[in-house]
Amino acid sequence: MGSKVLRAFITLAFVVIFNFFLFRMLPGDPIGLYARGRNQDPEQLVELRRALNKPLLEQFLTYLRNPFDSTIDSTRFSRPVWEMIGERVWPTLLLLGTAILLASLIGIWIGIRAGWKPGGRFDRMSTSTTLILYSMPEFWLGMMLLIVFSVGAFGIPGMFPVGGIASPGVDTSSPVGWLNVLRHLVLPCTTLVLIYLADYALVMRASLIDERRQEYLTLARAKGLRDTSVRKRHAVPNALLPTVTLIFLSLGFVVTGAITVETVFSWPGLGLLTYEALRGPDIPLLQAIFLMFSIAVIVANLIAELLYVVFDPRVRS
Amino acid sequence: MTGVVILAVFIATAILAPILIPDAALDVTKADGGRFEGPSLGYPLGTDESGRSVLLLLAWGTRISLTVGIAATIISMVLGTAFGIAAGHFRGAGSHALVGVTDWFLVIPFLPLAIVLATVLGPSTTNLIIVIGITSWAGTARLIRAQTLSIEGRPYLERSKALGAGNWYQMSRHVLPNVFPLVLANTTLTVAIVILSETTLSFLGLGDPQAPSWGALLDRAFSSGAVSRGAWWYVLPPGICVVLVVLAFTLVGRAMERIVDPRRAS
């Protein structure tokens, strides 16, 4: 267990080092970019330039002392980058949390039904559907849902808002505001659920098919247990373990969906912030976002690995 | 089989695109259609924001998307195979370092890493290929390493070592030919993932703005307001093409995997 934590720390250390040196390779004058279009004290600029002209090693040590330096300003928004990230966390957590929860419930259900009778009618239909969803760029699905259900096309009236998290002027802390947020959540959440569940259903199906070959299931059947109870009591709990771990491990893939889908639906979370940062490009903001996403994924992976050890005694030995 | 037919159609389109499509069709200044016109006889898939035929843009996009997809896959497979064989062949600190690098690339979230690399390198088709190649080899490396480890224990390698074969000779003459079928099957699956990555990165504006790949088409449709105008003919076709090509590569790749490694695929 200790070695897993240590490995996560080493990975993290490399992210921090990579994040520093990569952006030092950028051509051009970062101070000029930073000062463009703003009233900056010339003395302060000289100060900044001197800081960047220091030897690379010295800069690196200063950076290492605090990689989360809250005084670094975004070049585009002129605000501390970590403050901006802090504000954008909640909408992303709301969207991704809802989407992952729904996608894992539906995906696992589909995976169980398909994997218990592989080659059956349900399996053939669900596997081809999930393969198509798996091949789909998530932002494209989002754009199509927007055109059909929000703008209105093919005779379907527009029912949902075109973007954002709430209508302007609505107080999001009131019950009416919650309903309004919920209505804004429907389309981006549906997009992500459809994309994520494809992955989860395929994994659950494969894992259940693996489990079906185990001898303890033959024993359970030989004992005269009904098919339903063999499935529910014996096969599914064991097949669920790798699936749940994979849901945690797939957070890197979840992040991709968040960035593009939030962009399409102008959902004011971390994904949209990433898009705004890269269109600049707003280097300090981009650097902070990269660090934040990497840490989130590394920590999620570590949790998944530790949970696996807790739940599966077989890997402990 | 269906996969092969779909791929043949798209590859033919990609090769024939420069012959079939007059240059004027892609030039904004020479466009003769109206803005955001729906499908008609003259423009089977309607027109874009500057009056060009979406169908012709789409055909040209096939060329760019497939080129980027195949070029990036080659980089990814070369890196993945080299890292995988080396990590499986050598022992000790070197092998640990190689496994460590592979794991690092597997853990770091793909899109943030690709965005950061693409921003530093600047937007161009070549850079896009490099970025996708660098970010997508780790899965292959892990697969090849596992296969190399199982080959390393076989008697013929023992014999070759006893006869004094060097590392390079062992890896290139004995290990590589044995992992090659697996590399080939994995290539097809990697192309699928790489084409999806290309679409995503181009949609975010990290490709060459002048080269209308499918992802770049979707980016332009999105930024020009095709969604709020309900111009489905501009948005639907590029996505369908991506789905078809990715699906076809996945199907062909899975079929190849079943042939190459029947145990793993069953």
Side-chain angles (χ1 to χ4, degrees):
Chain A
M1 199 173 266
S3 73
K4 290 202 169 87
V5 178
L6 183 71
R7 249 217 341 255
F9 266 107
I10 295 175
T11 313
L12 209 62
F14 272 105
V15 170
V16 170
I17 296 168
F18 176 82
N19 199 19
F20 173 84
F21 284 102
L22 185 74
F23 285 98
R24 291 299 182 284
M25 284 163 45
L26 267 178
D29 174 19
I31 306 293
L33 206 68
Y34 180 77
R36 197 172 55 197
R38 68 169 83 193
N39 260 331
Q40 197 65 269
D41 190 3
E43 270 173 43
Q44 215 176 339
L45 285 184
V46 170
E47 188 69 27
L48 280 171
R49 233 179 258 284
R50 221 186 45 201
L52 274 189
N53 285 337
K54 282 184 194 162
L56 209 57
L57 190 69
E58 199 183 321
Q59 287 186 44
F60 184 54
L61 291 176
T62 321
Y63 164 77
L64 274 191
R65 226 163 282 147
N66 188 7
F68 310 101
D69 196 343
S70 56
T71 58
I72 298 174
D73 275 6
S74 143
T75 53
R76 193 161 153 208
F77 302 96
S78 313
R79 290 178 49 203
V81 286
W82 288 100
E83 193 181 297
M84 295 178 64
I85 289 178
E87 281 169 13
R88 299 290 192 102
V89 167
W90 300 110
T92 297
L93 282 184
L94 173 68
L95 176 62
L96 290 188
T98 322
I100 294 174
L101 188 70
L102 288 175
S104 42
L105 289 177
I106 304 169
I108 287 173
W109 179 80
I110 293 176
I112 292 174
R113 271 205 71 175
W116 195 244
K117 288 200 179 70
R121 226 181 61 167
F122 184 86
D123 180 37
R124 271 178 288 143
M125 266 181 50
S126 69
T127 305
S128 42
T129 314
T130 42
L131 270 179
I132 291 173
L133 284 173
Y134 197 70
S135 316
M136 214 174 256
E138 65 287 336
F139 56 89
W140 172 72
L141 181 62
M143 283 161 86
M144 284 315 298
L145 288 180
L146 261 182
I147 289 180
V148 176
F149 295 105
S150 172
V151 178
F154 308 113
I156 299 168
M159 286 173 283
F160 292 99
V162 285
I165 191 168
S167 307
V170 171
D171 175 19
T172 49
S173 54
S174 65
V176 182
W178 297 338
L179 278 178
N180 192 274
V181 171
L182 202 63
R183 245 169 65 91
H184 283 79
L185 186 64
V186 173
L187 286 184
C189 193
T190 309
T191 311
L192 287 176
V193 167
L194 285 173
I195 297 296
Y196 296 162
L197 79 79
D199 198 27
Y200 302 160
L202 286 172
V203 172
M204 184 65 201
R205 173 179 177 273
S207 154
L208 192 63
I209 289 177
D210 264 355
E211 218 54 53
R212 273 168 57 86
R213 281 190 291 245
Q214 304 290 330
E215 283 172 357
Y216 69 86
L217 286 189
T218 319
L219 175 74
R221 280 203 200 87
K223 278 195 301 191
L225 291 182
R226 261 179 293 153
D227 190 59
T228 335
S229 101
V230 174
R231 189 184 73 215
K232 281 192 182 157
R233 291 281 186 82
H234 295 272
V236 168
N238 281 310
L240 217 47
L241 193 65
T243 313
V244 172
T245 318
L246 269 164
I247 291 178
F248 264 94
L249 287 178
S250 68
L251 201 78
F253 157 78
V254 165
V255 165
T256 300
I259 292 175
T260 56
V261 170
E262 280 187 10
T263 300
V264 168
F265 290 96
S266 353
W267 185 264
L270 293 167
L272 185 62
L273 191 65
T274 312
Y275 183 71
E276 288 163 353
L278 77 90
R279 278 279 150 131
D282 186 337
I283 304 299
L285 189 55
L286 212 51
Q287 232 175 336
I289 288 173
F290 174 66
L291 201 55
M292 184 261 325
F293 274 137
S294 304
I295 292 172
V297 171
I298 292 169
V299 170
N301 280 353
L302 182 64
I303 293 174
E305 285 183 349
L306 295 182
L307 278 183
Y308 198 81
V309 177
V310 172
F311 286 127
D312 192 342
R314 283 170 298 183
V315 295
R316 254 179 254 166
S317 51
Chain B
M1 198 53 222
T2 330
V4 177
V5 174
I6 297 174
L7 288 184
V9 171
F10 275 103
I11 291 171
T13 313
I15 294 171
L16 297 177
I19 305 168
L20 295 177
I21 304 167
D23 282 342
L26 300 171
D27 195 337
V28 185
T29 54
K30 292 186 187 119
D32 48 0
R35 303 186 65 213
F36 292 117
E37 264 176 31
S40 61
L41 265 181
Y43 301 98
L45 289 175
T47 61
D48 73 347
E49 78 278 9
S50 37
R52 293 176 292 179
S53 163
V54 173
L55 182 69
L56 296 183
L57 285 172
L58 199 64
W60 194 260
T62 310
R63 195 177 164 81
I64 293 163
S65 288
L66 285 185
T67 311
V68 173
I70 290 166
T73 305
I74 292 172
I75 296 183
S76 160
M77 293 323 285
V78 170
L79 280 175
T81 312
F83 266 77
I85 292 183
H89 179 77
F90 293 108
R91 298 274 168 274
S95 163
H96 278 299
L98 290 173
V99 173
V101 174
T102 313
D103 281 351
W104 192 80
F105 274 96
L106 278 175
V107 171
I108 299 307
F110 157 73
L111 194 54
L113 179 63
I115 287 175
V116 160
L117 283 173
T119 310
V120 170
L121 291 173
S124 83
T125 306
T126 323
N127 288 343
L128 192 65
I129 292 170
I130 295 172
V131 167
I132 299 173
I134 298 181
T135 48
S136 59
W137 58 271
T140 310
R142 191 164 59 170
L143 193 74
I144 299 300
R145 175 173 173 266
Q147 184 76 6
T148 306
L149 284 176
S150 87
I151 291 167
E152 286 281 325
R154 292 185 191 165
Y156 57 79
L157 246 134
E158 197 120 346
R159 174 187 171 273
S160 145
K161 259 182 249 173
L163 288 174
N167 285 323
W168 175 252
Y169 186 87
Q170 289 173 35
M171 288 193 284
S172 60
R173 288 300 178 85
H174 291 295
V175 181
L176 186 62
N178 277 296
V179 296
F180 205 72
L182 194 64
V183 172
L184 222 56
N186 197 250
T187 304
T188 329
L189 291 173
T190 306
V191 181
I193 300 168
V194 161
I195 288 182
L196 269 179
S197 308
E198 188 276 333
T199 314
T200 306
L201 290 176
S202 298
F203 172 71
L204 294 174
L206 295 168
D208 180 0
Q210 300 304 316
S213 75
W214 292 330
L217 269 182
L218 287 171
D219 174 31
R220 273 226 311 283
F222 179 66
S223 356
S224 65
V227 170
S228 52
R229 284 163 177 269
W232 57 267
W233 58 87
Y234 193 179
V235 178
L236 189 66
I240 300 267
C241 288
V242 174
V243 172
L244 282 177
V245 167
V246 172
L247 199 60
F249 273 115
T250 310
L251 291 176
V252 173
R254 286 185 157 203
M256 280 170 68
E257 209 175 43
R258 269 196 293 277
I259 297 165
V260 171
D261 192 358
R263 251 175 324 117
R264 246 173 55 87
S266 66

